[in-house]
Amino acid sequence: MSRPLIFLDSDSALSLQDQVRRKLVEAACAGAFPAGQRLPSSRALATQLGVARNTVTLAYQKLLDEGLFVSRERSGIYIDQDMVRGLTAVETVAGGRDPVRESRWQGRFKTGDGGAPAARRTPNWHQYPYPFIDGVFDASLFPVAEWREANRQALTVDDISQWSIDAGDADDPMLIEEIRTKVLPRRGIQARPDEILITVGTQQALSLLTQMLIDATTVVAVEDPGYPDLRRMVASRGARTIYQPVDDEGVVVDRRLDDCDILYVTPSHQFPTGVMMTRGRREALLKKAAARNMVVIEDDFDCETNYLDEACPALYSLDPNGQVIYVASLSKILGPGLRMGFVVAPAEVITELRRLRTLAVRHPPLNNQRIAAHFLAMGHYNATMMRLGRLFRERRTALRDALNHYLQQSVAIGTLHGGAAYWVRGPDHLDVDRLAVAAERRGVLIEPVGPYYADGTAPRNIFRLGVTSLPLDRIREGVAILADLMRDLPGVSPIFPHSPDGYLGGDALRLAMTGATLLCKTVYGDPCTIELHPDGSMSGRAGYANEDCDVGRWWVEGDVWNRRWNRWSYSEVAGFQTMIVDDRIGWFDADNRLVDSAVIRRGGTI
């Protein structure tokens, strides 16, 4: 033959033998071997592919053993015609199908107008060096050995005999029991087996609930900002939607909810702001739901990151009236591709949800359910969540410290109670869409928040930064690149009042700083006090209870003020040109860009 029949991928995780087998089967099914045509000899094919002859021989032998190929004595190897019988040749139409003919389908769609499609994350996000994208996870986090062990357990003869039979619409009883006894108690929830339904992720759970509870006569309240796909599900049912604002305590509970039949909320870590609903707000919401006979759909989509911090109990656990339906996932952190979710609700609700689920998928694959059950039973789930909790806390702190170091004058973030993403507010004139485009060119992915707002009036200066998707050692460098980009954008650099005297010289600088007290705030809003002692030492206290303290040294070299903390600011030496105007002090880098500022108190007065 003049050219190789098949091509092998040197980067593939498959062995060369497995690649040869697969490619031969693909070629046979595609009709590459006409009836009666002998396949290349093992020697010829090995030479063409540049592999050992034994590799091709073993691949051929496996296909012969499986009956896909046949060997004819003193003739060679051929395709078994039963393998390709019934395959229909595919005719390629030059230029593709007629677009006019394809357009006829538009008039047949009965799904209604669900609005513009949700903004999707970059599909190849993992190829970027600094993907600050929440809700995606680098592959190194997956517990490979533990999941394989659970797989082996699920493939015993006894287990196969249980999950391989036709179970009708029933879920795996072992998984139901593991969720009931190991997962739900962490959220303060007690439930019977008939009050739990397994779903193909939380997305299917929400789809089933909207199908069951919502039609054109229903008034539905959703958080704003909130989950775009849920808004589209509600719109597809023709319901009237109330967009309920979110503040620092979670979704606002007020008279706008009085006429609502259903409220969708994410109280654990509000999506997308990350706010945790306070206990008082939860109680007010449940009181409102009871008074107005309102159903509450609680989406605990981020329940697995409750391992990061102490969490409030689920709304479902606080509801005495049975008006809350609880939706959660088993696979968001473990592996989103597993698509394993569940619903907890009164038994009659689960019965109807099961009926609707049966019309679409019967049940999620029982083999996957059994694997997840073993994963839970052996303690791997708890161990994995604890490990990831520690890891994400470390990453989250690294992101907070990097923002505080590089962008203290430019952005503000809230305090996170659990969760792994910061809601970042930049300067008023920041165009986040423009920043995101510039950042992507430098390998940094950030998430603008526009798609999360229902009315199209999202603040243009807010974006999200998450830490589930990149290793700890890349966080600081990624933030440093982002800081450089922000400083270069017009209208977003922090402003400092101009001093007619310019920067302070060495003697004036030394005199101004000796014995001074500096008052400022961290990027996350905590007060910070720094005292510059006459002997060149300095001490710092941050937090409302001075819970974060450090010491270091300061000195003047030429006309540059220098400082080095023992722990803060990465313990690195930093030097600044300094300007003081009234009670404000500003520090500038070599490019005359404002790096930091504070209130300066000297001699007991401000």
Side-chain angles (χ1 to χ4, degrees), residues 189-223:
I189 296 175
Q190 295 182 351
R192 301 191 311 269
D194 63 350
E195 296 175 326
I196 303 171
L197 181 79
I198 307 300
T199 60
V200 185
T202 56
Q203 196 81 353
Q204 187 195 32
L206 296 175
S207 179
L208 291 173
L209 287 169
T210 55
Q211 184 181 354
M212 181 180 73
L213 298 173
I214 299 173
D215 63 15
T217 68
T218 314
V219 180
V220 182
V222 299
E223 298 166 317

PDB file of all heavy atoms in Angstrom, residues 189-223:
ATOM      1  N   ILE A 189     -30.668  16.777  57.743  1.00  0.00           N
ATOM      2  CA  ILE A 189     -31.891  16.249  57.137  1.00  0.00           C
ATOM      3  C   ILE A 189     -32.086  14.787  57.527  1.00  0.00           C
ATOM      4  O   ILE A 189     -31.163  13.973  57.427  1.00  0.00           O
ATOM      5  CB  ILE A 189     -31.837  16.366  55.601  1.00  0.00           C
ATOM      6  CG1 ILE A 189     -31.790  17.841  55.184  1.00  0.00           C
ATOM      7  CG2 ILE A 189     -33.027  15.673  54.948  1.00  0.00           C
ATOM      8  CD1 ILE A 189     -31.603  18.052  53.694  1.00  0.00           C
ATOM      9  N   GLN A 190     -33.287  14.476  57.963  1.00  0.00           N
ATOM     10  CA  GLN A 190     -33.716  13.095  58.169  1.00  0.00           C
ATOM     11  C   GLN A 190     -34.775  12.771  57.123  1.00  0.00           C
ATOM     12  O   GLN A 190     -35.713  13.543  56.917  1.00  0.00           O
ATOM     13  CB  GLN A 190     -34.280  12.908  59.578  1.00  0.00           C
ATOM     14  CG  GLN A 190     -33.249  13.105  60.680  1.00  0.00           C
ATOM     15  CD  GLN A 190     -33.839  12.860  62.056  1.00  0.00           C
ATOM     16  OE1 GLN A 190     -35.049  12.704  62.206  1.00  0.00           O
ATOM     17  NE2 GLN A 190     -32.980  12.840  63.069  1.00  0.00           N
ATOM     18  N   ALA A 191     -34.626  11.617  56.476  1.00  0.00           N
ATOM     19  CA  ALA A 191     -35.573  11.258  55.409  1.00  0.00           C
ATOM     20  C   ALA A 191     -35.721   9.751  55.347  1.00  0.00           C
ATOM     21  O   ALA A 191     -34.797   8.998  55.645  1.00  0.00           O
ATOM     22  CB  ALA A 191     -35.091  11.800  54.070  1.00  0.00           C
ATOM     23  N   ARG A 192     -36.899   9.317  54.924  1.00  0.00           N
ATOM     24  CA  ARG A 192     -37.143   7.899  54.688  1.00  0.00           C
ATOM     25  C   ARG A 192     -36.712   7.541  53.263  1.00  0.00           C
ATOM     26  O   ARG A 192     -36.595   8.421  52.405  1.00  0.00           O
ATOM     27  CB  ARG A 192     -38.626   7.578  54.867  1.00  0.00           C
ATOM     28  CG  ARG A 192     -39.187   7.894  56.244  1.00  0.00           C
ATOM     29  CD  ARG A 192     -40.584   7.291  56.388  1.00  0.00           C
ATOM     30  NE  ARG A 192     -41.451   7.598  55.256  1.00  0.00           N
ATOM     31  CZ  ARG A 192     -42.253   8.654  55.190  1.00  0.00           C
ATOM     32  NH1 ARG A 192     -42.292   9.519  56.201  1.00  0.00           N
ATOM     33  NH2 ARG A 192     -43.019   8.859  54.135  1.00  0.00           N
ATOM     34  N   PRO A 193     -36.495   6.266  52.989  1.00  0.00           N
ATOM     35  CA  PRO A 193     -36.105   5.874  51.620  1.00  0.00           C
ATOM     36  C   PRO A 193     -37.101   6.320  50.557  1.00  0.00           C
ATOM     37  O   PRO A 193     -36.693   6.672  49.434  1.00  0.00           O
ATOM     38  CB  PRO A 193     -36.022   4.348  51.702  1.00  0.00           C
ATOM     39  CG  PRO A 193     -35.674   4.073  53.130  1.00  0.00           C
ATOM     40  CD  PRO A 193     -36.416   5.129  53.922  1.00  0.00           C
ATOM     41  N   ASP A 194     -38.388   6.333  50.882  1.00  0.00           N
ATOM     42  CA  ASP A 194     -39.374   6.720  49.868  1.00  0.00           C
ATOM     43  C   ASP A 194     -39.461   8.237  49.684  1.00  0.00           C
ATOM     44  O   ASP A 194     -40.308   8.713  48.915  1.00  0.00           O
ATOM     45  CB  ASP A 194     -40.754   6.146  50.206  1.00  0.00           C
ATOM     46  CG  ASP A 194     -41.314   6.681  51.519  1.00  0.00           C
ATOM     47  OD1 ASP A 194     -40.571   7.345  52.275  1.00  0.00           O
ATOM     48  OD2 ASP A 194     -42.507   6.421  51.799  1.00  0.00           O
ATOM     49  N   GLU A 195     -38.617   8.973  50.378  1.00  0.00           N
ATOM     50  CA  GLU A 195     -38.561  10.432  50.227  1.00  0.00           C
ATOM     51  C   GLU A 195     -37.318  10.883  49.457  1.00  0.00           C
ATOM     52  O   GLU A 195     -36.995  12.068  49.441  1.00  0.00           O
ATOM     53  CB  GLU A 195     -38.593  11.096  51.609  1.00  0.00           C
ATOM     54  CG  GLU A 195     -39.893  10.859  52.362  1.00  0.00           C
ATOM     55  CD  GLU A 195     -39.878  11.425  53.778  1.00  0.00           C
ATOM     56  OE1 GLU A 195     -38.792  11.417  54.411  1.00  0.00           O
ATOM     57  OE2 GLU A 195     -40.942  11.871  54.252  1.00  0.00           O
ATOM     58  N   ILE A 196     -36.634   9.956  48.791  1.00  0.00           N
ATOM     59  CA  ILE A 196     -35.393  10.256  48.064  1.00  0.00           C
ATOM     60  C   ILE A 196     -35.495   9.700  46.647  1.00  0.00           C
ATOM     61  O   ILE A 196     -35.910   8.559  46.447  1.00  0.00           O
ATOM     62  CB  ILE A 196     -34.171   9.643  48.778  1.00  0.00           C
ATOM     63  CG1 ILE A 196     -34.069  10.140  50.219  1.00  0.00           C
ATOM     64  CG2 ILE A 196     -32.885   9.963  48.018  1.00  0.00           C
ATOM     65  CD1 ILE A 196     -33.022   9.421  51.038  1.00  0.00           C
ATOM     66  N   LEU A 197     -35.104  10.515  45.671  1.00  0.00           N
ATOM     67  CA  LEU A 197     -35.085  10.102  44.270  1.00  0.00           C
ATOM     68  C   LEU A 197     -33.723  10.451  43.675  1.00  0.00           C
ATOM     69  O   LEU A 197     -33.229  11.561  43.847  1.00  0.00           O
ATOM     70  CB  LEU A 197     -36.181  10.813  43.468  1.00  0.00           C
ATOM     71  CG  LEU A 197     -36.277  10.430  41.991  1.00  0.00           C
ATOM     72  CD1 LEU A 197     -37.006   9.096  41.839  1.00  0.00           C
ATOM     73  CD2 LEU A 197     -36.988  11.530  41.190  1.00  0.00           C
ATOM     74  N   ILE A 198     -33.116   9.504  42.964  1.00  0.00           N
ATOM     75  CA  ILE A 198     -31.841   9.743  42.288  1.00  0.00           C
ATOM     76  C   ILE A 198     -32.119  10.343  40.905  1.00  0.00           C
ATOM     77  O   ILE A 198     -33.045   9.911  40.199  1.00  0.00           O
ATOM     78  CB  ILE A 198     -31.034   8.438  42.140  1.00  0.00           C
ATOM     79  CG1 ILE A 198     -30.894   7.741  43.495  1.00  0.00           C
ATOM     80  CG2 ILE A 198     -29.662   8.724  41.545  1.00  0.00           C
ATOM     81  CD1 ILE A 198     -30.187   8.557  44.542  1.00  0.00           C
ATOM     82  N   THR A 199     -31.322  11.321  40.522  1.00  0.00           N
ATOM     83  CA  THR A 199     -31.497  11.983  39.225  1.00  0.00           C
ATOM     84  C   THR A 199     -30.172  12.051  38.484  1.00  0.00           C
ATOM     85  O   THR A 199     -29.104  11.853  39.064  1.00  0.00           O
ATOM     86  CB  THR A 199     -32.048  13.413  39.393  1.00  0.00           C
ATOM     87  OG1 THR A 199     -31.126  14.185  40.193  1.00  0.00           O
ATOM     88  CG2 THR A 199     -33.406  13.391  40.058  1.00  0.00           C
ATOM     89  N   VAL A 200     -30.253  12.351  37.197  1.00  0.00           N
ATOM     90  CA  VAL A 200     -29.051  12.544  36.381  1.00  0.00           C
ATOM     91  C   VAL A 200     -28.561  13.969  36.616  1.00  0.00           C
ATOM     92  O   VAL A 200     -28.766  14.871  35.794  1.00  0.00           O
ATOM     93  CB  VAL A 200     -29.357  12.287  34.887  1.00  0.00           C
ATOM     94  CG1 VAL A 200     -28.070  12.382  34.067  1.00  0.00           C
ATOM     95  CG2 VAL A 200     -29.989  10.922  34.701  1.00  0.00           C
ATOM     96  N   GLY A 201     -27.955  14.182  37.778  1.00  0.00           N
ATOM     97  CA  GLY A 201     -27.490  15.505  38.155  1.00  0.00           C
ATOM     98  C   GLY A 201     -28.633  16.384  38.642  1.00  0.00           C
ATOM     99  O   GLY A 201     -29.815  16.047  38.535  1.00  0.00           O
ATOM    100  N   THR A 202     -28.265  17.557  39.181  1.00  0.00           N
ATOM    101  CA  THR A 202     -29.288  18.483  39.657  1.00  0.00           C
ATOM    102  C   THR A 202     -30.088  19.080  38.511  1.00  0.00           C
ATOM    103  O   THR A 202     -31.238  19.478  38.694  1.00  0.00           O
ATOM    104  CB  THR A 202     -28.644  19.621  40.470  1.00  0.00           C
ATOM    105  OG1 THR A 202     -27.659  20.278  39.662  1.00  0.00           O
ATOM    106  CG2 THR A 202     -27.976  19.095  41.729  1.00  0.00           C
ATOM    107  N   GLN A 203     -29.505  19.123  37.313  1.00  0.00           N
ATOM    108  CA  GLN A 203     -30.216  19.708  36.177  1.00  0.00           C
ATOM    109  C   GLN A 203     -31.494  18.929  35.868  1.00  0.00           C
ATOM    110  O   GLN A 203     -32.551  19.512  35.637  1.00  0.00           O
ATOM    111  CB  GLN A 203     -29.302  19.736  34.947  1.00  0.00           C
ATOM    112  CG  GLN A 203     -29.783  20.640  33.835  1.00  0.00           C
ATOM    113  CD  GLN A 203     -29.441  22.099  34.091  1.00  0.00           C
ATOM    114  OE1 GLN A 203     -28.964  22.459  35.157  1.00  0.00           O
ATOM    115  NE2 GLN A 203     -29.680  22.941  33.112  1.00  0.00           N
ATOM    116  N   GLN A 204     -31.407  17.591  35.874  1.00  0.00           N
ATOM    117  CA  GLN A 204     -32.608  16.801  35.637  1.00  0.00           C
ATOM    118  C   GLN A 204     -33.608  16.984  36.769  1.00  0.00           C
ATOM    119  O   GLN A 204     -34.821  17.043  36.541  1.00  0.00           O
ATOM    120  CB  GLN A 204     -32.277  15.315  35.494  1.00  0.00           C
ATOM    121  CG  GLN A 204     -33.512  14.505  35.083  1.00  0.00           C
ATOM    122  CD  GLN A 204     -33.357  13.018  35.258  1.00  0.00           C
ATOM    123  OE1 GLN A 204     -32.660  12.551  36.152  1.00  0.00           O
ATOM    124  NE2 GLN A 204     -34.006  12.246  34.391  1.00  0.00           N
ATOM    125  N   ALA A 205     -33.116  17.084  38.000  1.00  0.00           N
ATOM    126  CA  ALA A 205     -34.015  17.288  39.136  1.00  0.00           C
ATOM    127  C   ALA A 205     -34.824  18.566  38.960  1.00  0.00           C
ATOM    128  O   ALA A 205     -36.046  18.589  39.145  1.00  0.00           O
ATOM    129  CB  ALA A 205     -33.216  17.333  40.432  1.00  0.00           C
ATOM    130  N   LEU A 206     -34.149  19.657  38.573  1.00  0.00           N
ATOM    131  CA  LEU A 206     -34.841  20.929  38.386  1.00  0.00           C
ATOM    132  C   LEU A 206     -35.809  20.860  37.201  1.00  0.00           C
ATOM    133  O   LEU A 206     -36.902  21.433  37.245  1.00  0.00           O
ATOM    134  CB  LEU A 206     -33.829  22.050  38.186  1.00  0.00           C
ATOM    135  CG  LEU A 206     -32.911  22.344  39.389  1.00  0.00           C
ATOM    136  CD1 LEU A 206     -31.874  23.394  39.023  1.00  0.00           C
ATOM    137  CD2 LEU A 206     -33.730  22.794  40.588  1.00  0.00           C
ATOM    138  N   SER A 207     -35.400  20.163  36.143  1.00  0.00           N
ATOM    139  CA  SER A 207     -36.281  20.022  34.987  1.00  0.00           C
ATOM    140  C   SER A 207     -37.553  19.270  35.362  1.00  0.00           C
ATOM    141  O   SER A 207     -38.664  19.664  34.964  1.00  0.00           O
ATOM    142  CB  SER A 207     -35.544  19.296  33.861  1.00  0.00           C
ATOM    143  OG  SER A 207     -36.380  19.116  32.740  1.00  0.00           O
ATOM    144  N   LEU A 208     -37.420  18.191  36.119  1.00  0.00           N
ATOM    145  CA  LEU A 208     -38.593  17.432  36.546  1.00  0.00           C
ATOM    146  C   LEU A 208     -39.497  18.266  37.445  1.00  0.00           C
ATOM    147  O   LEU A 208     -40.732  18.220  37.329  1.00  0.00           O
ATOM    148  CB  LEU A 208     -38.153  16.168  37.286  1.00  0.00           C
ATOM    149  CG  LEU A 208     -37.469  15.084  36.448  1.00  0.00           C
ATOM    150  CD1 LEU A 208     -36.940  13.974  37.348  1.00  0.00           C
ATOM    151  CD2 LEU A 208     -38.421  14.521  35.405  1.00  0.00           C
ATOM    152  N   LEU A 209     -38.908  19.043  38.332  1.00  0.00           N
ATOM    153  CA  LEU A 209     -39.712  19.862  39.245  1.00  0.00           C
ATOM    154  C   LEU A 209     -40.474  20.947  38.504  1.00  0.00           C
ATOM    155  O   LEU A 209     -41.646  21.220  38.812  1.00  0.00           O
ATOM    156  CB  LEU A 209     -38.812  20.475  40.322  1.00  0.00           C
ATOM    157  CG  LEU A 209     -38.312  19.499  41.391  1.00  0.00           C
ATOM    158  CD1 LEU A 209     -37.222  20.143  42.233  1.00  0.00           C
ATOM    159  CD2 LEU A 209     -39.473  19.052  42.283  1.00  0.00           C
ATOM    160  N   THR A 210     -39.838  21.582  37.528  1.00  0.00           N
ATOM    161  CA  THR A 210     -40.556  22.613  36.764  1.00  0.00           C
ATOM    162  C   THR A 210     -41.679  21.977  35.949  1.00  0.00           C
ATOM    163  O   THR A 210     -42.771  22.556  35.806  1.00  0.00           O
ATOM    164  CB  THR A 210     -39.606  23.383  35.831  1.00  0.00           C
ATOM    165  OG1 THR A 210     -38.904  22.462  34.988  1.00  0.00           O
ATOM    166  CG2 THR A 210     -38.600  24.192  36.623  1.00  0.00           C
ATOM    167  N   GLN A 211     -41.434  20.793  35.430  1.00  0.00           N
ATOM    168  CA  GLN A 211     -42.472  20.096  34.672  1.00  0.00           C
ATOM    169  C   GLN A 211     -43.648  19.731  35.570  1.00  0.00           C
ATOM    170  O   GLN A 211     -44.814  19.792  35.157  1.00  0.00           O
ATOM    171  CB  GLN A 211     -41.880  18.837  34.043  1.00  0.00           C
ATOM    172  CG  GLN A 211     -42.844  18.075  33.144  1.00  0.00           C
ATOM    173  CD  GLN A 211     -42.204  16.828  32.563  1.00  0.00           C
ATOM    174  OE1 GLN A 211     -41.011  16.585  32.732  1.00  0.00           O
ATOM    175  NE2 GLN A 211     -43.004  16.034  31.882  1.00  0.00           N
ATOM    176  N   MET A 212     -43.362  19.362  36.808  1.00  0.00           N
ATOM    177  CA  MET A 212     -44.403  18.903  37.717  1.00  0.00           C
ATOM    178  C   MET A 212     -45.186  20.049  38.353  1.00  0.00           C
ATOM    179  O   MET A 212     -46.397  19.951  38.547  1.00  0.00           O
ATOM    180  CB  MET A 212     -43.766  18.056  38.829  1.00  0.00           C
ATOM    181  CG  MET A 212     -44.763  17.496  39.843  1.00  0.00           C
ATOM    182  SD  MET A 212     -43.967  16.510  41.138  1.00  0.00           S
ATOM    183  CE  MET A 212     -43.183  17.801  42.098  1.00  0.00           C
ATOM    184  N   LEU A 213     -44.513  21.167  38.655  1.00  0.00           N
ATOM    185  CA  LEU A 213     -45.118  22.201  39.493  1.00  0.00           C
ATOM    186  C   LEU A 213     -45.494  23.481  38.766  1.00  0.00           C
ATOM    187  O   LEU A 213     -46.228  24.306  39.322  1.00  0.00           O
ATOM    188  CB  LEU A 213     -44.155  22.564  40.640  1.00  0.00           C
ATOM    189  CG  LEU A 213     -43.803  21.445  41.629  1.00  0.00           C
ATOM    190  CD1 LEU A 213     -42.716  21.922  42.588  1.00  0.00           C
ATOM    191  CD2 LEU A 213     -45.040  21.004  42.403  1.00  0.00           C
ATOM    192  N   ILE A 214     -45.001  23.685  37.552  1.00  0.00           N
ATOM    193  CA  ILE A 214     -45.120  25.003  36.935  1.00  0.00           C
ATOM    194  C   ILE A 214     -45.852  24.918  35.600  1.00  0.00           C
ATOM    195  O   ILE A 214     -45.566  24.067  34.764  1.00  0.00           O
ATOM    196  CB  ILE A 214     -43.718  25.623  36.731  1.00  0.00           C
ATOM    197  CG1 ILE A 214     -43.016  25.807  38.087  1.00  0.00           C
ATOM    198  CG2 ILE A 214     -43.804  26.950  35.997  1.00  0.00           C
ATOM    199  CD1 ILE A 214     -41.573  26.264  37.973  1.00  0.00           C
ATOM    200  N   ASP A 215     -46.804  25.833  35.425  1.00  0.00           N
ATOM    201  CA  ASP A 215     -47.447  26.025  34.128  1.00  0.00           C
ATOM    202  C   ASP A 215     -47.743  27.511  33.969  1.00  0.00           C
ATOM    203  O   ASP A 215     -47.242  28.343  34.734  1.00  0.00           O
ATOM    204  CB  ASP A 215     -48.693  25.155  33.982  1.00  0.00           C
ATOM    205  CG  ASP A 215     -49.790  25.503  34.997  1.00  0.00           C
ATOM    206  OD1 ASP A 215     -49.720  26.584  35.635  1.00  0.00           O
ATOM    207  OD2 ASP A 215     -50.715  24.686  35.151  1.00  0.00           O
ATOM    208  N   ALA A 216     -48.576  27.853  33.003  1.00  0.00           N
ATOM    209  CA  ALA A 216     -48.832  29.266  32.707  1.00  0.00           C
ATOM    210  C   ALA A 216     -49.571  29.991  33.823  1.00  0.00           C
ATOM    211  O   ALA A 216     -49.590  31.230  33.843  1.00  0.00           O
ATOM    212  CB  ALA A 216     -49.622  29.377  31.398  1.00  0.00           C
ATOM    213  N   THR A 217     -50.169  29.267  34.754  1.00  0.00           N
ATOM    214  CA  THR A 217     -50.905  29.913  35.852  1.00  0.00           C
ATOM    215  C   THR A 217     -50.029  30.152  37.082  1.00  0.00           C
ATOM    216  O   THR A 217     -50.492  30.721  38.065  1.00  0.00           O
ATOM    217  CB  THR A 217     -52.103  29.044  36.270  1.00  0.00           C
ATOM    218  OG1 THR A 217     -51.630  27.829  36.877  1.00  0.00           O
ATOM    219  CG2 THR A 217     -52.980  28.720  35.070  1.00  0.00           C
ATOM    220  N   THR A 218     -48.775  29.703  37.034  1.00  0.00           N
ATOM    221  CA  THR A 218     -47.900  29.734  38.209  1.00  0.00           C
ATOM    222  C   THR A 218     -47.082  31.020  38.251  1.00  0.00           C
ATOM    223  O   THR A 218     -46.620  31.509  37.222  1.00  0.00           O
ATOM    224  CB  THR A 218     -46.948  28.528  38.190  1.00  0.00           C
ATOM    225  OG1 THR A 218     -47.685  27.346  37.881  1.00  0.00           O
ATOM    226  CG2 THR A 218     -46.260  28.349  39.536  1.00  0.00           C
ATOM    227  N   VAL A 219     -46.904  31.550  39.469  1.00  0.00           N
ATOM    228  CA  VAL A 219     -46.011  32.691  39.680  1.00  0.00           C
ATOM    229  C   VAL A 219     -44.778  32.171  40.410  1.00  0.00           C
ATOM    230  O   VAL A 219     -44.877  31.599  41.504  1.00  0.00           O
ATOM    231  CB  VAL A 219     -46.681  33.800  40.506  1.00  0.00           C
ATOM    232  CG1 VAL A 219     -45.723  34.972  40.702  1.00  0.00           C
ATOM    233  CG2 VAL A 219     -47.966  34.265  39.826  1.00  0.00           C
ATOM    234  N   VAL A 220     -43.617  32.346  39.792  1.00  0.00           N
ATOM    235  CA  VAL A 220     -42.382  31.779  40.316  1.00  0.00           C
ATOM    236  C   VAL A 220     -41.396  32.910  40.631  1.00  0.00           C
ATOM    237  O   VAL A 220     -41.146  33.778  39.780  1.00  0.00           O
ATOM    238  CB  VAL A 220     -41.735  30.806  39.310  1.00  0.00           C
ATOM    239  CG1 VAL A 220     -40.467  30.184  39.892  1.00  0.00           C
ATOM    240  CG2 VAL A 220     -42.728  29.728  38.908  1.00  0.00           C
ATOM    241  N   ALA A 221     -40.826  32.883  41.829  1.00  0.00           N
ATOM    242  CA  ALA A 221     -39.783  33.847  42.205  1.00  0.00           C
ATOM    243  C   ALA A 221     -38.426  33.165  42.094  1.00  0.00           C
ATOM    244  O   ALA A 221     -38.238  32.038  42.562  1.00  0.00           O
ATOM    245  CB  ALA A 221     -40.009  34.350  43.623  1.00  0.00           C
ATOM    246  N   VAL A 222     -37.474  33.850  41.462  1.00  0.00           N
ATOM    247  CA  VAL A 222     -36.108  33.338  41.337  1.00  0.00           C
ATOM    248  C   VAL A 222     -35.143  34.430  41.781  1.00  0.00           C
ATOM    249  O   VAL A 222     -35.449  35.619  41.706  1.00  0.00           O
ATOM    250  CB  VAL A 222     -35.787  32.900  39.898  1.00  0.00           C
ATOM    251  CG1 VAL A 222     -36.701  31.776  39.452  1.00  0.00           C
ATOM    252  CG2 VAL A 222     -35.905  34.076  38.924  1.00  0.00           C
ATOM    253  N   GLU A 223     -33.979  34.017  42.240  1.00  0.00           N
ATOM    254  CA  GLU A 223     -32.977  34.971  42.705  1.00  0.00           C
ATOM    255  C   GLU A 223     -32.418  35.779  41.528  1.00  0.00           C
ATOM    256  O   GLU A 223     -32.290  35.263  40.415  1.00  0.00           O
ATOM    257  CB  GLU A 223     -31.836  34.230  43.396  1.00  0.00           C
ATOM    258  CG  GLU A 223     -32.263  33.458  44.619  1.00  0.00           C
ATOM    259  CD  GLU A 223     -31.204  32.473  45.077  1.00  0.00           C
ATOM    260  OE1 GLU A 223     -30.623  31.789  44.206  1.00  0.00           O
ATOM    261  OE2 GLU A 223     -30.956  32.380  46.295  1.00  0.00           O
TER     262      GLU A 223
END
